[in-house]
Amino acid sequence: MKHLSLLSIIISLFFLLFPLKTNFVVAEENLSLNTKYYVLIEPKSKQVIVQSNPHEKLYPASMTKMMGMLLILEAIEEDRISFEDQVTCSEYASSMGGTQIFLEPGEVMLLEDLFKSVAINSANDAIVCLGEHLEGSNDNFVKKMNNRAKELGMNNTNFKNATGLDDKEHYSSCYDMGILASELLKYDDIVLKYSSLKEDYVRQDSSSPFWLVNTNKLLGHYEGLDGLKTGFTSQAGYNLTATAKRNGVRLVSVVMNEETIQKRSQDTCSLLNYGFSLLKSETIFVGEEVICNYNIKNTLNKEIGIKVKENINVILDKGEKKEDLKIELVMNKIEAPIDEDEEVGYIKITTKSNRVYTFKVYSTCKVEKISFGQIFSNNMKIIFS
């Protein structure tokens, strides 16, 4: 494979005989829902499966808290805070009202318990307390929420608070909430651990334990559903961002401005059923599989293996085949030295229905840079051979 002196190279492993088909997303005529505002998304590719009025600005209510949860988890990943932090509640956070765990001013609670209270019980005082701990003040936290929304391309979103309480300048859309949920699911091992619980406790070892009850009434009643966030105010109506996984396929649905909890649940089930009827999961590579070999110039090793560490699964339409995929290797590191198991780039997989996935790739062995003396010796051997 010819070496190119570029910072980043793209090597096509497979090519399509025909151009990729573009997916035009429209409201499905046979999908009769109660609400006019909904979206169904495949979260890894963030591709919309079906939608109606996806960019209409609406009151998101407590679905707002997904952004706060995302910021907390990103900060934990960056080692700026920890689930083991002891967080002190301010007088402002304790005054939130609405759905709450009745934090007292000066009360100290484990950050993990505050996060759990938001994920399960949608506690207003808990999310404000978390935001103040992370950013120093509630205003700073809300500013950070808006900045992150812009980074994610949530173009029809503006946050005025961390709780989701109604404000004429506090709005979002079905599409934006779906994109936010998809980003949040990058931390699915943590988020779903709590959002899937019907109930739990905080202050469990104290004299006044508090019972957390999940506001998502579909848990346990829809196969594979394990999250994500409800929302309700008198102006917002009944909202729900839901996620479910079946046969390796995970979906995110968002319904907004529903009249009742029952209609919210009906529409969520209809959307998810529709998505699962269309899609399938396929394993493209298995963990530790060497997907190709690559030449590194001026090294002792003329060729190294490029591998994946985990199973590589993508979501296809049920009519698609693996042979329809376009797979590209993008090398970020093309010069020695390279350590064994070092991340060296990624593979980009594009489906016929135009879903795009990226996965990290790693070297199978250590690659050492060849010295001038070794280059000279090798050249002499070639000359006199």
Side-chain angles (χ1 to χ4, degrees), residues 187-298:
Y187 305 92
D188 57 354
D189 56 332
I190 301 174
V191 174
L192 301 180
K193 173 184 176 182
Y194 299 113
S195 68
S196 63
L197 295 175
K198 289 185 178 181
E199 59 183 69
D200 205 341
Y201 285 88
V202 291
R203 306 190 190 95
Q204 194 161 2
D205 299 326
S206 72
S207 58
S208 56
F210 189 86
W211 184 33
L212 303 173
V213 179
N214 204 313
T215 52
N216 187 351
K217 303 308 177 185
L218 278 176
L219 289 171
H221 298 285
Y222 185 87
E223 180 188 348
L225 190 138
D226 47 11
L228 192 58
K229 194 72 199 71
T230 62
F232 170 77
T233 66
S234 58
Q235 294 187 64
Y238 293 91
N239 300 337
L240 175 59
T241 298
T243 184
K245 186 175 183 179
R246 289 184 184 176
N247 300 317
V249 177
R250 178 169 290 284
L251 295 172
V252 167
S253 66
V254 183
V255 296
M256 298 182 72
N257 197 225
E258 297 275 15
E259 294 178 353
T260 66
I261 291 178
Q262 291 75 18
K263 289 181 178 180
R264 178 178 78 180
S265 296
Q266 289 170 2
D267 286 351
T268 296
C269 293
S270 295
L271 278 171
L272 293 172
N273 285 341
Y274 177 73
F276 288 130
S277 73
L278 296 176
L279 304 176
K280 63 179 180 179
S281 175
E282 287 282 356
T283 300
I284 310 305
F285 301 109
V286 298
E288 300 299 323
E289 180 177 350
V290 177
I291 63 174
C292 70
N293 293 314
Y294 179 71
N295 286 342
I296 303 290
K297 191 176 181 180
N298 295 330

Side-chain angles (χ1 to χ4, degrees), residues 65-96:
K65 296 184 177 80
M66 289 191 294
M67 179 57 83
M69 294 164 68
L70 176 64
L71 294 180
I72 292 298
L73 293 177
E74 289 178 338
I76 290 173
E77 184 178 44
E78 296 165 1
D79 293 324
R80 292 193 286 129
I81 57 174
S82 165
F83 267 145
E84 302 306 313
D85 288 357
Q86 298 286 335
V87 182
T88 303
C89 180
S90 70
E91 185 171 347
Y92 178 73
S94 71
S95 70
M96 284 299 100

